[in-house]
């Protein structure tokens, strides 16, 4: 079974440009999460999809970030326009809803390393 | 979600047993304790999860005392490949609004030959 994949693995852009990150979750996983780690900080939650719906987007830093998950499969995270402080590693994770058993395991992708110059 | 406290770093030698303790004094009744492992340039990877007493799988053991205010991840006979950052997380993991994980700084384990 393929794991969570993310594309690209690295991206270097200039301030003001737009970047779109893609995440392909494990097939059949309804839950999809985006996290990020900025330099020297902890991994922080950004948002959570259940299928195509945004369940929780309380971690999105501002309106320059737009996440979509059309069709409930892969997801994209667009940063427009990118700022210097957006540099970091963006992780995607997916999980299978176990109906509230409290034992959900999240499977993480390798991350996309974004550098904004 | 409950805040966790764990050592910033630990050193060990190959073949030794490593125990990493995490404090979570404000753990709630419905909270589970989960440990993730992260290698450089990779995403975190689930290791083990428990609610109380002891849980063991092929990778590690998790010891949780009766008051659940702390937990200990035990890695038997570590190898160089166990060098990684280990995160202790506490909370409910449902598929709904409580699904996001809150990571702390983790414990950086360095295994030496």
């Amino acid at each position: 079974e393929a794991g969570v994949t993310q594309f690209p693995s690295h991206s270097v852009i200039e301030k003001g440009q737009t970047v779109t990150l893609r995440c392909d979750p494990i097939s059949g996983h309804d839950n999809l999460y985006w996290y990020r780690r900025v330099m020297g900080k902890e991994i922080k939650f950004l948002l959570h999809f259940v299928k195509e719906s945004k369940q929780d987007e309380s971690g999105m830093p501002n309106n320059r970030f737009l996440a979509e998950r059309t069709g409930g499969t892969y997801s994209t995270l667009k940063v427009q326009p990118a700022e210097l402080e957006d540099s970091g590693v963006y992780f995607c994770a997916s999980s299978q809803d176990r109906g509230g058993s409290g034992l959900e395991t999240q499977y993480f992708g390798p991350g996309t390393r974004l550098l904004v110059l | 979600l409950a805040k966790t406290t764990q050592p910033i770093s630990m050193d060990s030698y190959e073949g030794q047993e490593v125990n990493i303790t995490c404090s979570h004094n404000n753990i709630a009744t419905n909270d589970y304790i989960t440990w993730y492992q992260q290698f450089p340039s990779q995403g975190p990877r689930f290791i083990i999860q428990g609610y109380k007493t002891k849980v063991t799988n092929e990778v590690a053991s998790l010891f949780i005392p009766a008051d659940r205010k702390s937990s200990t991840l035990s890695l038997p006979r570590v190898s160089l490949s166990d060098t990684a950052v280990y995160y202790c997380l506490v909370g409910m993991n449902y598929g709904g609004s409580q699904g996001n994980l809150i990571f702390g700084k983790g414990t950086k384990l360095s295994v030496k030959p």
Side-chain angles (χ1 to χ4, degrees):
Chain A
E1 178 183 279
V4 177
T5 58
Q6 294 186 244
F7 181 84
S9 59
H10 295 80
S11 180
V12 181
I13 61 173
E14 293 186 338
K15 175 183 174 181
Q17 289 185 323
T18 298
V19 63
T20 300
L21 314 181
R22 173 171 170 145
C23 168
D24 285 80
I26 293 173
S27 177
H29 281 192
D30 288 339
N31 294 298
L32 187 149
Y33 304 84
W34 284 98
Y35 296 82
R36 77 169 178 178
R37 171 192 275 141
V38 295
M39 186 66 70
K41 302 288 187 180
E42 295 90 356
I43 298 172
K44 296 287 189 183
F45 165 79
L46 295 178
L47 91 159
H48 169 204
F49 283 99
V50 177
K51 296 184 180 179
E52 68 275 9
S53 300
K54 292 178 184 176
Q55 182 72 31
D56 180 359
E57 51 184 328
S58 61
M60 294 288 263
N62 51 60
N63 58 11
R64 294 186 293 103
F65 288 76
L66 176 64
E68 294 180 324
R69 192 183 182 196
T70 306
T73 55
Y74 71 92
S75 174
T76 58
L77 179 64
K78 181 190 291 187
V79 185
Q80 179 182 30
E83 298 289 343
L84 300 180
E85 63 265 25
D86 300 332
S87 296
V89 183
Y90 289 77
F91 293 104
C92 174
S94 72
S95 71
Q96 201 167 34
D97 190 348
R98 299 194 182 193
S101 69
L103 297 177
E104 172 190 322
T105 297
Q106 294 188 20
Y107 296 87
F108 282 77
T112 292
R113 281 141 189 84
L114 174 64
L115 178 60
V116 182
L117 302 176
Chain B
L1 298 182
K3 181 178 179 179
T4 60
T5 303
Q6 51 184 123
I8 294 174
S9 65
M10 294 181 69
D11 289 340
S12 180
Y13 290 95
E14 282 189 293
Q16 289 186 328
E17 177 184 79
V18 171
N19 296 306
I20 306 174
T21 297
C22 177
S23 297
H24 28 79
N25 293 317
N26 297 321
I27 190 169
T29 302
N30 294 331
D31 285 342
Y32 282 76
I33 300 157
T34 309
W35 286 79
Y36 278 75
Q37 172 193 56
Q38 186 179 23
F39 298 113
S41 301
Q42 294 186 26
R45 182 176 74 105
F46 172 88
I47 302 177
I48 196 166
Q49 182 176 77
Y51 184 80
K52 61 180 179 180
T53 62
K54 176 183 175 181
V55 178
T56 298
N57 61 23
E58 65 277 6
V59 177
S61 294
L62 179 59
F63 298 92
I64 306 168
D67 66 4
R68 302 199 329 119
K69 293 184 182 300
S70 67
S71 59
T72 299
L73 174 72
S74 181
L75 304 173
R77 301 180 61 79
V78 294
S79 63
L80 297 177
S81 62
D82 292 317
T83 293
V85 178
Y86 292 81
Y87 296 98
C88 166
L89 300 98
V90 175
M92 291 192 299
N93 279 335
Y94 287 88
S97 60
Q98 297 288 335
N100 52 298
L101 301 176
I102 296 180
F103 288 84
K105 296 185 182 298
T107 297
K108 185 175 182 180
L109 173 66
S110 298
V111 180
K112 303 174 182 178

